[in-house]
Amino acid sequence: MGVVMYLINNVFSQAVFIIGIVVIAGMVAQKKTWDQILPSVIKTMIGFTMINVGGQTLGMSLLPLQGMITKIFNMPPVSVDIGAAQAESLTGIGTEMALIFALGFLVNLLLARFTRFKYVHLSAHVSFFYAGLIAALLKFGTNLAFVPLVITGSILLGLYMTFSCAYVAVFMKEVKGGEGFTLAHSSSIGILISSLLAKAFGNKENDLENLNVPKKLNFLREMTISLTIVMTVLFLVISLISGPAWMRENITGGQDIVVFSFLRGLSFGMWITVIITGVRMMLSEIISAFHGFANKIIPNSVPGLDIPLLFPNYPNSVILGFLTSLIAGLIGMMILGFINYPVVVFPALIPTFFTGAVTAIFGNAHGGRRGAIIGSFVNGLILIFGQALLLPMIGTYAPIMRILSETDYSFYGPILGWVLKLFGGI
């Protein structure tokens, strides 16, 4: 049992190893030789690591904004230490979470193999934290013993991994750069809602990515440049509102706010460049390798991959989606404060960036500029109101959800909690 838990916690919880195993299996199925397999696996894993590390560091670079905005709105400080929050959150559910994660992936593979839903969820970092959410809801909201809790949680996770990939795949056809895969990410319900709203109220002829700009400003079409400028301005404006003296004492470590803002903008642009480079490296290898996996092991299966793969084709949507979801989250926060909601919540910056970006991408693909704005705004409201409903239900898992609670956690989590309560905690 100790060896199994070691592998789950240290090997299979690392998405890069899952990706590598899939590539090896796919290329072996295609009868490739070891000298063809090895470089392809290494390039795929490096590309994935660039995307993953780039995405994590990109998100963490936003965390100072959280302290700045809480100061502006005179709110209690919220911890943004992910490591400490994760350690605290796993108290009491670590074993259940690990087993649900591993067995849930097995359920996903079985569903892909023996049903018509041929989707293999390869974003292990997403399913790992979602396993924690399910484990917390079951442990703190039911009277289930250890074994039935793990079995129930594994089935729920496997169903989520399979069907979230499936309904996102329906809307991938209109998305540039989305050929050959679906998305495996905890923004899936936001993508679904954004796409439906965009189809109903948007106009896809007014593509956000085709904005007319003066010839001398064409450089803004490059994502690295535009995001660097936007994030520099955003940090600078919020720094000025927070107060230069307070910023130097509490955020910048004595650094001038102009220098601080410019360095943050450059850092953001650099990590976006890392992600884009990783996307190109990974996609050039994994799609062809997965065809071998699909043809021989799980016929006709489709890989579920992470959302940054779509970012290079939608720079304007990424920026607009983040800012729109952030504005919606701040509005939601003020509404909760106005009604004296007993749980203090704040827009989590990392989820706001990534889910805001991808819901705007799908909103734009299906409904143009209007679709992007509507989709990402609704996404921001789901994030803040859903988090407010979720936190009282998950006990020790709350600290990490304050930082990483994405749209699926905020939407499906409260629903599952209410269902469990309806049945009296089982």
Side-chain angles (χ1 to χ4, degrees):
M1 184 65 175
V3 174
V4 172
M5 293 303 297
Y6 172 83
L7 290 174
I8 292 172
N9 287 319
N10 295 280
V11 179
F12 297 118
S13 64
Q14 299 295 320
V16 67
F17 294 134
I18 301 291
I19 294 290
I21 291 167
V22 167
V23 172
I24 291 171
M27 297 192 76
V28 168
Q30 296 177 67
K31 299 182 179 179
K32 301 288 187 181
T33 59
W34 73 268
D35 58 309
Q36 294 173 305
I37 295 173
L38 183 61
S40 183
V41 171
I42 290 174
K43 284 194 285 186
T44 302
M45 293 176 75
I46 289 174
F48 178 83
T49 301
M50 292 173 74
I51 297 169
N52 197 35
V53 172
Q56 291 175 2
T57 312
L58 187 79
M60 291 179 68
S61 70
L62 293 169
L63 293 180
L65 288 174
Q66 198 144 322
M68 296 154 67
I69 297 174
T70 54
K71 193 267 181 184
I72 292 170
F73 287 94
N74 196 30
M75 295 182 65
V78 178
S79 173
V80 292
D81 186 334
I82 293 178
Q86 184 170 342
E88 183 180 351
S89 295
L90 297 187
T91 302
I93 64 165
T95 302
E96 292 91 341
M97 176 180 178
L99 290 171
I100 288 171
F101 163 72
L103 296 175
F105 184 54
L106 178 60
V107 172
N108 171 229
L109 292 177
L110 291 172
L111 288 171
R113 179 64 180 85
F114 296 109
T115 74
R116 64 186 182 89
F117 298 101
K118 305 294 184 180
Y119 302 99
V120 180
H121 192 294
L122 296 179
S123 295
H125 56 299
V126 171
S127 52
F128 185 73
F129 284 108
Y130 207 83
L133 174 67
I134 293 172
L137 286 167
L138 290 173
K139 181 138 189 182
F140 300 114
T142 76
N143 298 313
L144 289 174
F146 179 80
V147 172
L149 186 152
V150 169
I151 293 173
T152 303
S154 302
I155 294 171
L156 288 172
L157 180 62
L159 291 171
Y160 166 76
M161 293 168 73
T162 304
F163 293 114
S164 62
C165 286
Y167 61 69
V168 169
V170 174
F171 299 98
M172 285 287 287
K173 298 169 186 176
E174 303 291 328
V175 178
K176 290 180 291 186
E179 299 81 11
F181 64 95
T182 186
L183 296 182
H185 191 260
S186 41
S187 57
S188 68
I189 190 65
I191 291 171
L192 172 63
I193 293 172
S194 178
S195 300
L196 292 174
L197 289 174
K199 284 179 175 291
F201 302 107
N203 180 0
K204 65 184 300 182
E205 300 302 319
N206 297 324
D207 193 324
L208 182 60
E209 304 304 325
N210 293 333
L211 290 177
N212 291 321
V213 296
K215 189 174 181 180
K216 289 187 177 180
L217 295 179
N218 268 340
F219 62 87
L220 292 175
R221 295 186 182 276
E222 187 175 343
M223 176 180 279
T224 299
I225 305 299
S226 57
L227 270 178
T228 299
I229 293 172
V230 167
M231 296 312 298
T232 298
V233 172
L234 180 63
F235 268 96
L236 183 57
V237 169
I238 297 179
S239 295
L240 288 168
I241 298 172
S242 301
W246 182 88
M247 286 290 300
R248 285 193 296 272
E249 184 178 344
N250 295 278
I251 301 293
T252 71
Q255 195 174 57
D256 178 78
I257 61 170
V258 176
V259 174
F260 169 77
S261 300
F262 187 54
L263 290 176
R264 284 285 164 176
L266 286 175
S267 175
F268 204 87
M270 183 269 288
W271 288 114
I272 279 290
T273 304
V274 169
I275 290 172
I276 292 171
T277 304
V279 165
R280 291 169 181 157
M281 183 180 290
M282 179 178 162
L283 282 183
S284 66
E285 302 294 332
I286 193 170
I287 298 300
S288 60
F290 196 86
H291 285 160
F293 182 91
N295 291 336
K296 300 291 184 179
I297 301 171
I298 302 181
N300 302 314
S301 58
V302 177
L305 304 173
D306 207 351
I307 57 177
L309 296 176
L310 300 179
F311 286 5
N313 291 315
Y314 289 92
N316 296 338
S317 299
V318 169
I319 297 169
L320 180 71
F322 166 55
L323 295 177
T324 304
S325 280
L326 178 59
I327 291 168
L330 292 172
I331 292 172
M333 179 190 74
M334 289 187 285
I335 292 171
L336 291 171
F338 180 75
I339 64 173
N340 293 316
Y341 190 77
V343 180
V344 176
V345 291
F346 185 87
L349 272 296
I350 296 174
T352 299
F353 176 77
F354 286 102
T355 65
V358 76
T359 49
I361 287 173
F362 277 79
N364 181 62
H366 295 282
R369 296 192 292 266
R370 194 186 310 149
I373 293 170
I374 294 171
S376 54
F377 189 86
V378 171
N379 176 76
L381 295 178
I382 294 172
L383 287 174
I384 198 71
F385 290 122
Q387 184 189 160
L389 296 170
L390 176 66
L391 292 177
M393 299 179 175
I394 52 177
T396 62
Y397 204 59
I400 198 67
M401 286 293 95
R402 284 190 175 275
I403 301 174
L404 299 178
S405 182
E406 293 178 322
T407 322
D408 287 354
Y409 302 102
S410 299
F411 187 89
Y412 290 126
I415 292 174
L416 178 57
W418 288 329
V419 169
L420 294 174
K421 187 176 181 180
L422 182 66
F423 285 95
I426 310 182

